Amino acid sequence: MSFGTELLLMETEMETGAVYTEMETAGQGQHTTHPWPKRFPNTGFGVALGLLGNSILWKRLAAPGFTHWLGTSGNWVFWCGGVTALVLATMVYAWKVVMHFEMVRREWNHPIRCYFFITPVIATMMLSIGIPATMETMVSRRVLWAVTAGAHVLMVSILYQRWMYCQQANLGQAGAPYMLSVVGWFLSCVLAQQLKLDEHWGLNLPAMTFGAGSFFLTISMVSIFLNFHSHSGTKRGHPSLFLLIAPPSVAALAVANFEGKHFGAPSQAILGFCLMLLILFSSLCPRILAKPEMFGVYWTYVFPLAALADCGVNAANDQGSRSAKGLAWVLVGLATVTVTTVSVRSLVHHCMVMAGRTQWRDPLFECYLRELQEEKHHRPQAVNETPALTRRSVFEECLQD
């Protein structure tokens, strides 16, 4: 079975509602439900990304400017919620790594899901950027920057090697989640600017990370747009489409910092590009009210819109015009409505899961159960026929060098 056929099969199962929640115990008529940590996807870290993204936005709203009257309460609420979500997701996934490493291996080998492994690093960067002002300490944040920057460089280096040499995970198969390997460069740049690392460490690290991010953003953005029409491209209305808004939005903030926190023409040009992406993706009928496909996937709506609203507030503070302030309020309102809607929709779905009326889906886990069933019920093979159990997994094929 080809990789493209496998993806189409998985997508068809998502649409038709095919569910594999149980498997028969070998030699018995009983059923064994798989532990829920085994079905916890790495997309679950998206909750922390969404909450911490809004903590950065509300920290900006509480800073001196036309939104200063809103206070720091929003920053504290979203930051504490984001930290809690990050810690819980890390604990659950650490359990999954220890107890169910096979599913972790499949996620890492998958050409799309592997990009969500970088989300804990991105969330940690956002945690440091959005930390309430009364808790800021330069020394600890600089240590945190060094740790996250090192982890980020290590992980994206592996992902970029796949772009170069992998047959099934190269730029010709690019999808919107590829942006997760890019946005970290600009978050690292913004954090380095806040910590003034160029002055204290004697290296212009903000410029270096911005340069790396600009290159990979350019080639990945073009590749994703060129691949939308193919079966491997991101589908119409999928939540991950909004991830394309995040890297340029954060880049606009970094450019403004390079200009002495002046949101000038270069930053406004990037803001205009991001607004066009927002209009384009909003016209593709987002599924924000539909049944969530997987835990955490819908939170990909949240962080990019918070970053875009942050740009709008910066532009309004710099220009001071009524129209700029009006645009900023629209973007802030959109980000607030989005995080509220996603939170409520996810909570409703989780209540239905707890009541036994539905479940959180994971196509990779369902594919894993299907392979177990095939292994159990496979028919005897002819001498010259390749046994089904010895065929190479599509997830391992995507790592061919």
Side-chain angles (χ1 to χ4, degrees):
M1 182 182 295
S2 68
F3 176 73
T5 304
E6 184 75 16
L7 283 182
L8 287 174
L9 178 60
M10 290 166 62
E11 183 185 8
T12 302
E13 290 176 352
M14 292 294 295
E15 296 295 334
T16 58
V19 179
Y20 295 90
T21 57
E22 297 178 339
M23 57 174 285
E24 293 185 356
T25 305
Q28 300 180 3
Q30 301 175 350
H31 289 77
T32 302
T33 302
H34 288 265
W36 66 269
K38 191 173 184 177
R39 295 178 278 113
F40 182 80
N42 55 359
T43 56
F45 288 97
V47 180
L49 287 185
L51 294 175
L52 290 171
N54 274 271
S55 74
I56 297 174
L57 169 61
W58 282 85
K59 184 177 182 179
R60 176 71 62 182
L61 294 174
F66 72 102
T67 59
H68 180 68
W69 58 273
L70 290 173
T72 61
S73 299
N75 177 218
W76 275 100
V77 169
F78 282 113
W79 190 81
C80 292
V83 172
T84 302
L86 178 59
V87 171
L88 291 178
T90 302
M91 293 173 60
V92 173
Y93 206 82
W95 184 12
K96 181 177 179 179
V97 170
V98 175
M99 303 300 296
H100 310 290
F101 186 75
E102 170 61 19
M103 289 305 305
V104 177
R105 184 186 69 83
R106 286 170 175 263
E107 287 183 310
W108 175 247
N109 291 346
H110 193 272
I112 295 297
R113 290 280 287 278
C114 63
Y115 289 90
F116 287 90
F117 278 99
I118 204 170
T119 51
V121 178
I122 297 174
T124 306
M125 293 180 182
M126 296 167 64
L127 180 152
S128 183
I129 296 174
I131 187 172
T134 55
M135 293 181 60
E136 290 182 350
T137 57
M138 285 295 183
V139 175
S140 60
R141 294 176 72 200
R142 286 170 185 156
V143 172
L144 193 60
W145 184 94
V147 173
T148 55
H152 180 262
V153 170
L154 176 63
M155 296 191 69
V156 298
S157 295
I158 299 175
L159 297 176
Y160 295 159
Q161 289 175 21
R162 297 186 182 187
W163 291 9
M164 298 166 64
Y165 298 111
C166 183
Q167 295 181 5
Q168 301 293 349
N170 53 55
L171 289 175
Q173 311 291 329
Y178 278 45
M179 288 289 103
L180 291 172
S181 68
V182 177
V183 68
W185 290 112
F186 299 111
L187 288 170
S188 182
C189 176
V190 170
L191 182 56
Q193 290 171 331
Q194 292 183 359
L195 301 176
K196 300 180 179 180
L197 295 185
D198 54 338
E199 299 178 7
H200 288 82
W201 290 1
L203 289 173
N204 198 343
L205 294 171
M208 294 179 183
T209 53
F210 185 88
S214 299
F215 172 74
F216 290 111
L217 173 61
T218 302
I219 61 174
S220 57
M221 183 76 74
V222 173
S223 300
I224 291 171
F225 267 87
L226 291 177
N227 197 43
F228 274 138
H229 69 282
S230 69
H231 70 271
S232 61
T234 305
K235 303 307 176 185
R236 178 188 295 268
H238 195 273
S240 63
L241 282 174
F242 284 76
L243 287 174
L244 275 75
I245 301 176
S249 297
V250 182
L253 299 174
V255 171
N257 290 336
F258 280 126
E259 297 185 312
K261 297 186 178 181
H262 171 60
F263 209 86
S267 296
Q268 293 180 36
I270 301 175
L271 174 60
F273 167 65
C274 296
L275 290 174
M276 185 61 236
L277 289 180
L278 174 63
I279 295 172
L280 174 63
F281 298 147
S282 298
S283 67
L284 296 177
C285 302
R287 310 171 187 174
I288 194 169
L289 295 178
K291 179 181 178 181
E293 295 179 357
M294 281 191 301
F295 181 73
V297 169
Y298 273 26
W299 285 85
T300 55
Y301 285 119
V302 178
F303 159 54
L305 294 181
L308 182 58
D310 197 349
C311 285
V313 174
N314 274 270
N317 282 330
D318 187 73
Q319 296 178 356
S321 63
R322 290 184 178 180
S323 56
K325 292 179 181 179
L327 175 61
W329 281 120
V330 170
L331 294 176
V332 170
L334 179 61
T336 304
V337 170
T338 300
V339 67
T340 303
T341 303
V342 171
S343 300
V344 173
R345 186 65 185 90
S346 299
L347 181 61
V348 169
H349 185 79
H350 192 67
C351 291
M352 295 177 65
V353 170
M354 295 179 66
R357 298 173 57 185
T358 185
Q359 67 173 0
W360 288 108
R361 306 289 306 280
D362 184 357
L364 275 185
F365 181 72
E366 294 167 8
C367 182
Y368 167 71
L369 289 186
R370 185 169 62 249
E371 290 182 5
L372 289 181
Q373 291 176 345
E374 290 177 357
E375 179 180 347
K376 179 180 178 181
H377 302 294
H378 74 282
R379 59 182 177 82
Q381 302 292 327
V383 176
N384 296 327
E385 188 175 0
T386 303
L389 296 182
T390 62
R391 68 179 185 273
R392 195 173 187 185
S393 169
V394 296
F395 308 111
E396 295 176 354
E397 290 176 359
C398 79
L399 292 180
Q400 291 179 346
D401 291 331

